Amino acid sequence: PVSLKPKPGEKAGDLYFIIGSVNTDSRAKRFVSQYPSLSPKVVRAQAKGRRVYRVAVGPFARDDADLQRKRLAAAGITSAWAIPYDLAR
């Protein structure tokens, strides 16, 4: 898993879309391999006291959220959710 660290030109508060959330790193990596054109990242998180591995794409500007959601849906990803991720944390 990687952290969501800023690339040159990125700023804190950009939106990421979570396109999958699974319970093992290996399942997350398999998920990532299904969508190479989206350049997804695996991010470790806690949910209800358990370790989860979220597959995230982004960052995207908040103004582009609707457009990006439509693009994800066109790729067959209909249950993605957007999260603001403060890259400065």
Side-chain angles (χ1 to χ4, degrees):
V2 298
S3 62
L4 297 177
K5 295 190 183 210
K7 296 176 188 168
E10 291 179 3
K11 61 183 187 294
D14 287 327
L15 279 183
Y16 287 80
F17 278 90
I18 304 301
I19 62 171
S21 186
V22 294
N23 61 358
T24 67
D25 183 49
S26 61
R27 289 182 69 197
K29 288 177 181 174
R30 279 195 305 271
F31 199 99
V32 165
S33 71
Q34 294 175 330
Y35 300 99
S37 65
L38 299 177
S39 301
K41 301 165 182 69
V42 177
V43 182
R44 286 185 294 211
Q46 293 283 17
K48 298 181 182 179
R50 294 185 176 171
R51 170 78 49 149
V52 295
Y53 297 84
R54 293 191 171 147
V55 181
V57 295
F60 302 107
R62 290 178 186 268
D63 294 345
D64 293 335
D66 288 335
L67 174 63
Q68 297 305 329
R69 190 178 308 278
K70 288 176 185 172
R71 287 182 176 163
L72 290 172
I77 302 168
T78 57
S79 59
W81 68 95
I83 60 168
Y85 197 84
D86 185 353
L87 296 174
R89 286 194 279 175

